[in-house]
Amino acid sequence: MMTARILAKYQEEDGTNPLAFKEILKYSIFPILIIFKENFSSAFLLAVTIYLMMLVGRVPRRQLLTTLGAAFAVGAIGLITLMSIPESVKDMGRFGSKAITWKHRIVDAFNSKPITAEEYDENENEQRTYSHIAVASSHLIGCGPGNSIQRDFIPHAYSDYIFAVIIEELGLIGATVVLLLYLTLLYSCGKIAKKCDDPYAAFLSMGIGMIIVTQALLHMYISVGNFVTGQPLPLMSQGGTSFLINSVYIGFLLCISRYAKD
């Protein structure tokens, strides 16, 4: 909401005033760093959404490219640092334990070395293992609604890995329909934004669509890929707080669409 307000405030005929970029950074960096300490994927989603909003908001390209380059540089330095820390760091409190967890997840995600069935530790990789089994056994149609087998074995099957269960039960066709539903939501947000006379309402509509769809795409990638992190599927995963916040998003969209011109 703050990003949308700033973008609307600094709109000019030939684009957005460069001052908008500095003001957005001033208000967004601190919350992102606070969230990063507790949950990297949530901080990443927020940062990506703000960046996309600035891209749509016609923030000068030079500022956006500089930010992207700086993000890659910081990410590379952070990755090198993370991979070089010793295992003993996990005994240095909660953050040390999280750092080692991130290190193991990155190693597992990019480890291309073949592993035999005897070497594979099913208990250590149970989230990824059973979600992959669910996806591999789905085929085109799936086993039918409510007939999932792997939901009894996947940790957080109804929240962080609900998409794997959806694929197992509804198959490739059902997964494609779910993906199209989120893309339709993003398209609808764009249509609402296009009809808005108020730039703040337009940017807010696009921001809501971006954060919901970006989170959904990340969740889908986690469910079928090798990287493990915790992100619910918006409006589908179990969870009171997540569902409440996403319902507020939808309420904002309905409010904006009500006053948008036909």
Side-chain angles (χ1 to χ4, degrees):
M1 291 176 68
M2 181 62 71
T3 301
R5 174 64 68 184
I6 295 170
L7 288 173
K9 176 182 176 183
Y10 286 98
Q11 282 300 298
E12 298 176 351
E13 289 186 7
D14 57 345
T16 301
N17 191 301
L19 292 175
F21 177 79
K22 297 178 181 179
E23 193 161 347
I24 289 172
L25 287 185
K26 181 176 70 174
Y27 284 104
S28 62
I29 289 247
F30 187 61
I32 289 174
L33 289 177
I34 293 177
I35 298 172
F36 174 80
K37 182 181 177 182
E38 300 297 326
N39 191 313
F40 170 76
S41 58
S42 295
F44 174 77
L45 282 173
L46 183 57
V48 168
T49 302
I50 291 173
Y51 187 87
L52 291 175
M53 288 180 69
M54 290 193 293
L55 183 64
V56 172
R58 303 185 302 167
V59 168
R61 186 176 302 177
R62 182 178 178 182
Q63 292 179 319
L64 293 177
L65 291 176
T66 301
T67 303
L68 191 61
F72 275 115
V74 171
I77 294 172
L79 183 62
I80 293 171
T81 304
L82 186 65
M83 300 307 293
S84 62
I85 60 176
E87 293 292 323
S88 59
V89 172
K90 65 182 178 181
D91 299 324
M92 299 175 60
R94 183 179 178 183
F95 188 76
S97 177
K98 275 184 171 290
I100 295 299
T101 300
W102 292 343
K103 178 180 178 179
H104 289 170
R105 287 177 176 177
I106 292 171
V107 170
D108 290 341
F110 295 100
N111 185 12
S112 58
K113 179 183 177 181
I115 301 175
T116 64
E118 292 76 15
E119 295 175 328
Y120 191 81
D121 189 347
E122 185 178 290
N123 294 324
E124 184 178 346
N125 302 282
E126 56 182 347
Q127 291 176 314
R128 188 172 58 188
T129 300
Y130 292 114
S131 64
H132 285 184
I133 293 174
V135 173
S137 61
S138 63
H139 304 297
L140 189 63
I141 300 177
C143 60
N147 295 325
S148 170
I149 297 174
Q150 303 307 321
R151 67 183 177 189
D152 296 327
F153 303 100
I154 302 175
H156 312 293
Y158 296 103
S159 54
D160 294 352
Y161 282 85
I162 188 66
F163 189 64
V165 177
I166 290 174
I167 295 176
E168 183 184 10
E169 294 187 353
L170 304 180
L172 180 61
I173 294 176
T176 303
V177 170
V178 172
L179 174 60
L180 290 176
L181 287 174
Y182 285 106
L183 295 179
T184 302
L185 175 63
L186 182 61
Y187 174 74
S188 299
C189 291
K191 288 186 65 177
I192 293 171
K194 191 175 180 180
K195 295 179 180 179
C196 290
D197 292 326
D198 182 6
Y200 170 63
F203 289 129
L204 181 58
S205 175
M206 287 305 302
I208 290 172
M210 288 172 181
I211 197 167
I212 291 177
V213 175
T214 303
Q215 182 177 341
L217 293 175
L218 179 60
H219 174 97
M220 293 175 188
Y221 169 73
I222 292 167
S223 296
V224 302
N226 290 328
F227 197 75
V228 178
T229 186
Q231 281 298 328
L233 187 61
L235 300 171
M236 291 192 181
S237 290
Q238 185 182 56
T241 303
S242 174
F243 190 80
L244 177 63
I245 294 301
N246 284 291
S247 297
V248 171
Y249 287 157
I250 300 301
F252 283 161
L253 288 175
L254 291 174
C255 182
I256 294 170
S257 65
R258 180 180 180 184
Y259 294 101
K261 64 181 181 180
D262 295 327

